[in-house]
Each structure stands twice: as structure tokens, then as C-alpha cells.
Amino acid sequence: MKFIRIILFPIVPIYYIITWLRNWCYDNNLLKSKSYDVPIICVGNLSTGGTGKTPMIEYLIALLQKKNSIATLSRGYKRSTEGFVMADENATATIIGDEPFQFFNKFESITVAVDSDRKHGISQLLKTVVPPNVILLDDAFQHRKVKAGMNILLTSYSNPYFNDFVLPTGNLREPMSGRKRANIVVVTKCKIGIAENEKERIRKRLKLKPHQSVFFSFIEYATIVIGLKSNLELEELPKFTLVTGIANAKPLVEFLVNKGLTFDHIEYPDHHNFRASEIEMLSQRELIITTEKDFMRLSCNESLQDNLYYLPIKLSIDKGDKFNNLVRSFVG
């Protein structure tokens, strides 16, 4: 894969020019973005994935849900349906996608919808009997037909956008200049206790304007794993199989290794649709630990329900009070 990316390097300038030109047309009103009266917060990134958008969306839901009627709008990657779909009692990960299904299962008071056309999806949400007064757009930083009131741009500590190239050699969906559209930049998946001089070094390399705020976040892992029928203490787990279908499993693997746990790791691509043969193979494992996103897809298989558990995670933000106030102030 790395070799293929290297030999495709001559295509990088072409991709760069096309994406830069598209942004220039939006910036200069040659292509139109639609604004809305309802507060819309877009969570996205410049890269192709693995920056922690799902934990950020959940953080925002938890922050705002007590005083607001919230809707999340995602494209529903790898779902079996098309067009606008709003989650209901019949929703599954197959119908709306694993991440939206995770939101739907975790937060009872919110509306969860999917539509690859965010503009159309917003219009449909605003036509509902009780329309939301806050809409969270998941992974929509490049969907410029919609002009969000607040853009939260995520970039990972291990692979920040200033160390990357655009596709196909790198992982950036658009040039680094796209960062200027962000109101807030969050460096995600940082090491706990990151030093102030390291933060300052990163701030300088992000090359942001004075009006753009920068925050650093890290993932907190739970002390238990959760299944459909029981919970288990993490540190008391016997040898198990770790199953991941996410963009970057390295932080999770490192966490489990540092805990001194013994496990085999079966790694699949992000948003992997598990085949019947793979489910059959996994059903032979005595204990499976997975991510919450993967659990949404795997737990519907009856053969796995007795031995399948997920490890919950939570996003924590350095100087979180300042971040929370910025978001609350925008929502009003």
C-alpha cells in the first residue's frame, strides 16, 4: 500500500489544484453555501479518518442536550439505504450506519438522521413535527454546500495535518489551507499530561489566525467492558481476542498492552462489513473485546452475544471549561 501511494505522488499536484480551486470558488461566492437560522455545528477533519469525530459528537451531545433539542446528521457510511433516513425503533447499524446507530442507542433524547446530501438532510430535519434547535453535522467539513455557524476541526496528535500530504500519497482530503474555515481546532488523542512547551510547538505549526481557538484532547478508557448481558472488570479479563474495524487501533492496543492484558488482535478496515464466514470464525472465540462502534455491527449476531463486549471511551478536553463556553455561547 505504501509503495502504491509513493508511485502515485505525481497525481498529488492535480488533486491539490482541484480541491484548492473548489474551495476558492466557495470562498469567493462562485459556488454558493446555504446558511440557516438554527445553530449548526460541523465536526470534521482534513484527513480521511481516525481523528476521533465520534467521541467529539458525543461530547457535544452530552454538553448541550439538557437545554436543547439536538439532531445529529451523518452520511451513514456503508449503510444499506439511500437518501434521508431518520432513526426509529427499527434502526440498525446496517440501515443507518454504525456511528449514527451508536448515537441513537446512547442518547434517548436526540434525533439521529443520515443523508449524504447534508443540505437536503437539514431541510428534512427542519420539517419534522418538533424540529431541532441545534444540529450537529458529523464529518461534514468538506460539504461546503452547507455553511455551518461553527466549524470544529480535528487533527490527531500522532498525525497532524501539518505533517501530511493530500491524497493519494497522503491522507488529506484537501490542502492544509482548509484549516482557515475552522472556528476551533482540537488536537485529539494526545498523551495525558502533554507538556506546555509541546503544546506551544504544535500551536505554531498549526498556523492558525488569532480568532481561531486551539484545544488539546485525550481519550479516557473505562475500567469495565460492557456486553449485552453482563459487564466485566477490565483488569480481571482472561486472555481475549481484540477485534477492531476502525481507522486507527494503535492507541487502544497500546492502552491494553500497558494494562498488562493478554490478547490476540484481529484488525479489519474502518467500517468493515463482517461476512458470515468471519462471524462464524469469531463465534469460536471464548471472549471478544471490541470498540463501541464495532459492537454496533457485531452484537446483532446471536452467535456472538454471549462472548462479545466493548470498552467504553470518553473524550476529555484540556481547558474544557473554555471550550464548553465557546460552544454554549454559539448555541446561545
Side-chain angles (χ1 to χ4, degrees):
M1 185 64 178
K2 288 183 178 180
F3 175 73
I4 294 174
R5 287 194 167 207
I6 291 172
I7 64 175
L8 290 176
F9 187 78
I11 301 175
V12 166
I14 300 172
Y15 185 92
Y16 183 103
I17 291 170
I18 292 171
T19 52
W20 179 90
L21 184 60
R22 175 179 180 268
N23 281 331
W24 184 88
C25 288
Y26 274 108
D27 293 340
N28 290 276
N29 294 317
L30 297 178
L31 294 174
K32 300 298 182 181
S33 299
K34 182 173 176 57
S35 300
Y36 297 86
D37 292 333
V38 61
I40 296 178
I41 301 175
C42 169
V43 174
N45 49 25
L46 296 180
S47 65
T48 53
T51 56
K53 294 182 295 293
T54 300
M56 175 58 74
I57 291 288
E58 293 186 352
Y59 183 99
L60 294 171
I61 295 170
L63 175 66
L64 299 172
Q65 65 179 343
K66 288 184 179 180
K67 296 184 178 181
N68 298 278
S69 174
I70 296 175
T72 66
L73 181 61
S74 313
R75 66 170 168 164
Y77 186 60
K78 285 195 174 182
R79 61 187 169 113
S80 62
T81 55
E82 295 182 358
F84 178 81
V85 178
M86 197 156 65
D88 57 20
E89 65 274 6
N90 298 314
T92 65
T94 301
I95 292 173
I96 63 172
D98 48 17
E99 290 158 343
F101 189 56
Q102 182 174 319
F103 303 149
F104 181 69
N105 275 275
K106 209 165 190 176
F107 302 97
E108 294 181 358
S109 64
I110 71 169
T111 299
V112 175
V114 294
D115 196 332
S116 59
D117 184 341
R118 304 305 204 284
K119 189 175 173 181
H120 178 260
I122 292 170
S123 69
Q124 295 301 110
L125 284 170
L126 296 178
K127 291 177 184 176
T128 55
V129 177
V130 183
N133 63 7
V134 178
I135 298 176
L136 305 179
L137 298 183
D138 178 22
D139 194 14
F141 196 72
Q142 285 74 38
H143 289 261
R144 301 208 54 191
K145 289 183 181 180
V146 171
K147 187 174 183 180
M150 172 176 278
N151 281 297
I152 299 177
L153 178 66
L154 310 183
T155 187
S156 69
Y157 175 80
S158 62
N159 189 30
Y161 60 67
F162 53 74
N163 281 343
D164 209 344
F165 291 98
V166 296
L167 293 165
T169 298
N171 293 311
L172 297 184
R173 299 169 174 175
E174 60 174 298
M176 194 176 80
S177 58
R179 71 193 184 279
K180 65 185 179 182
R181 302 197 304 275
N183 303 96
I184 296 173
V185 174
V186 181
V187 182
T188 62
K189 302 182 181 181
C190 296
K191 298 176 182 178
I192 296 176
I194 180 173
E196 287 300 322
N197 61 346
E198 174 69 359
K199 292 179 186 177
E200 186 58 30
R201 182 189 70 83
I202 293 172
R203 286 190 190 99
K204 289 179 180 179
R205 298 201 64 189
L206 291 173
K207 296 182 178 179
L208 300 177
K209 301 296 183 181
H211 71 274
Q212 296 176 292
S213 300
V214 181
F215 295 89
F216 296 82
S217 72
F218 56 92
I219 295 295
E220 291 186 81
Y221 293 94
T223 58
I224 61 170
V225 292
I226 298 175
L228 289 176
K229 301 177 181 179
S230 64
N231 300 337
L232 302 174
E233 292 292 330
L234 179 66
E235 295 190 352
E236 296 178 4
L237 291 179
K239 184 177 179 179
F240 60 88
T241 299
L242 175 66
V243 176
T244 60
I246 57 177
N248 181 15
K250 185 178 178 181
L252 172 58
V253 172
E254 290 179 348
F255 170 77
L256 295 173
V257 169
N258 290 336
K259 282 289 183 182
L261 298 171
T262 305
F263 59 94
D264 300 318
H265 183 198
I266 302 177
E267 189 171 11
Y268 295 98
D270 196 16
H271 299 280
H272 180 67
N273 287 322
F274 292 90
R275 299 188 296 269
S277 60
E278 293 167 338
I279 298 299
E280 173 62 25
M281 178 272 293
L282 293 175
S283 68
Q284 306 303 315
R285 303 291 175 130
E286 292 186 9
L287 178 61
I288 298 172
I289 307 299
T290 190
T291 68
E292 190 169 3
K293 184 171 78 170
D294 293 312
F295 187 86
M296 294 298 125
R297 281 173 283 136
L298 289 169
S299 59
C300 61
N301 297 281
E302 188 174 351
S303 62
L304 300 179
Q305 292 178 355
D306 289 335
N307 62 350
L308 181 69
Y309 296 80
Y310 72 88
L311 177 62
I313 63 173
K314 183 176 70 172
L315 180 73
S316 291
I317 300 177
D318 187 35
K319 299 182 180 178
D321 288 344
K322 181 180 177 181
F323 177 90
N324 296 349
N325 289 337
L326 284 174
V327 174
R328 288 187 179 124
S329 177
F330 165 70
V331 170

